[in-house]
Amino acid sequence: MALAEAGACGRLLLWPRVVLFGDSITEFSFRENGWGAYLAERLVRKCDVVNRGLSGYNTRWAKLILPRLITKSAGAENTVAVTIFFGANDSALKDLNPKQHVPLEEYAANLKSMIQYLKSVDITEDRIILITPPPLQESAWEKECLAKGDRLNRRNATTGEYARACVQVARDCGTDVVDLWTLMQNNQDFSSYLCDGLHLSPKGNSFLAAQLWSRLEKKLSALPFLLPYWRDVDHTHPEATLLPDALQ
């Protein structure tokens, strides 16, 4: 059977997708041992994991970009889960980092706006997972700042305020949430979860991946395995297995 004929006989295969939307912690998630790569490995042949991480972005910019990433005509119908992971930049100190800083109340309002937009394109709240910023290890991040000629431009206590606001938004809007800021500090030294005081280390990536997987596994367990296992393909007549529409 010619390729053109095969294409005409079979329906286009549309993989469901999980969209990871966030800042640099999301953008870096497909690096070796990253939390996004972990999810992609476990969901292969079930859905695509799409990285829409934007390094340095805050919620003020993110809410403007989101409608360009997901629309009713481009991706919403096939989107089975969305993670929204912002706050590390929003919580930067205004006096020392005014470009990235977003006031606390606006941060919460921006998260709500993004959730409302997703609902408007039929991505329901049960498919949305908010992730709070992780805790900030100030001494390590200060070294990063000093190396660039800057002063420490974030504080862990301030990041905690944004994390609590994120959790409250999730409660108000009925979405799931991973409270990374709290979970990483529960009765332990959290510095090993971070590589530079702000971004995730391999251990931090593994920790977040496990937290997300415990939530996504329930949501996505019903997704079918896409295309037959190779041993189940009729090797004498593969089109009978792979192009069932052609036989109808």
Side-chain angles (χ1 to χ4, degrees):
M1 182 180 289
L3 286 178
E5 184 182 352
C9 293
R11 289 174 296 156
L12 178 66
L13 283 171
L14 293 175
W15 254 241
R17 67 177 191 161
V18 174
V19 178
L20 311 180
F21 187 41
D23 53 34
S24 57
I25 305 176
T26 297
E27 183 174 327
F28 301 162
S29 72
F30 271 34
R31 292 179 176 179
E32 186 176 3
N33 298 317
W35 60 272
Y38 176 99
L39 296 177
E41 180 183 357
R42 275 147 189 78
L43 292 169
V44 69
R45 296 288 290 274
K46 286 202 165 190
C47 63
D48 290 332
V49 178
V50 180
N51 188 332
R52 293 294 179 263
L54 302 161
S55 180
Y57 274 51
N58 56 32
T59 56
R60 182 180 292 165
W61 305 342
K63 74 173 185 178
L64 300 177
I65 296 297
L66 184 58
R68 300 182 64 191
L69 303 178
I70 301 173
T71 67
K72 278 190 176 181
S73 60
E77 183 179 355
N78 255 27
T79 300
V80 292
V82 179
T83 60
I84 300 177
F85 189 3
F86 289 95
N89 298 316
D90 298 68
S91 60
L93 302 177
K94 181 179 180 180
D95 293 345
L96 297 175
N97 192 346
K99 185 168 184 176
Q100 291 179 300
H101 170 80
V102 172
L104 184 61
E105 289 185 3
E106 182 187 343
Y107 167 72
N110 290 340
L111 289 178
K112 288 182 179 179
S113 176
M114 287 188 273
I115 292 169
Q116 288 164 0
Y117 172 74
L118 292 173
K119 290 173 66 176
S120 77
V121 295
D122 299 329
I123 296 175
T124 51
E125 53 264 62
D126 61 304
R127 287 187 274 164
I128 302 169
I129 303 175
L130 300 188
I131 307 172
T132 77
L136 180 78
Q137 215 272 315
E138 292 181 12
S139 60
W141 185 243
E142 186 172 26
K143 290 179 182 178
E144 297 290 321
C145 294
L146 291 173
K148 298 174 183 176
D150 299 326
R151 293 163 56 194
L152 178 64
N153 57 21
R154 290 165 170 80
R155 292 287 184 183
N156 190 41
T158 304
T159 304
E161 294 176 4
Y162 284 71
R164 287 188 286 276
C166 180
V167 170
Q168 187 60 52
V169 168
R171 288 175 181 156
D172 292 344
C173 297
T175 72
D176 207 340
V177 63
V178 177
D179 184 1
L180 209 54
W181 190 86
T182 298
L183 290 168
M184 283 187 167
Q185 294 184 91
N186 277 342
N187 303 315
Q188 56 194 318
D189 174 14
F190 65 87
S191 60
S192 62
Y193 289 124
L194 306 168
C195 64
D196 57 6
L198 176 68
H199 299 94
L200 301 182
S201 66
K203 182 178 178 181
N205 274 283
S206 178
F207 183 85
L208 175 54
Q211 293 293 327
L212 278 173
W213 185 244
S214 70
R215 293 159 171 81
L216 285 172
E217 188 175 20
K218 300 171 190 173
K219 298 177 189 293
L220 307 181
S221 59
L223 287 177
F225 190 73
L226 294 167
L227 291 175
Y229 181 56
W230 72 271
R231 291 186 185 278
D232 297 328
V233 175
D234 181 348
H235 69 283
T236 58
H237 300 287
E239 63 276 6
T241 309
L242 303 177
L243 298 174
D245 293 352
L247 305 180
Q248 296 177 4

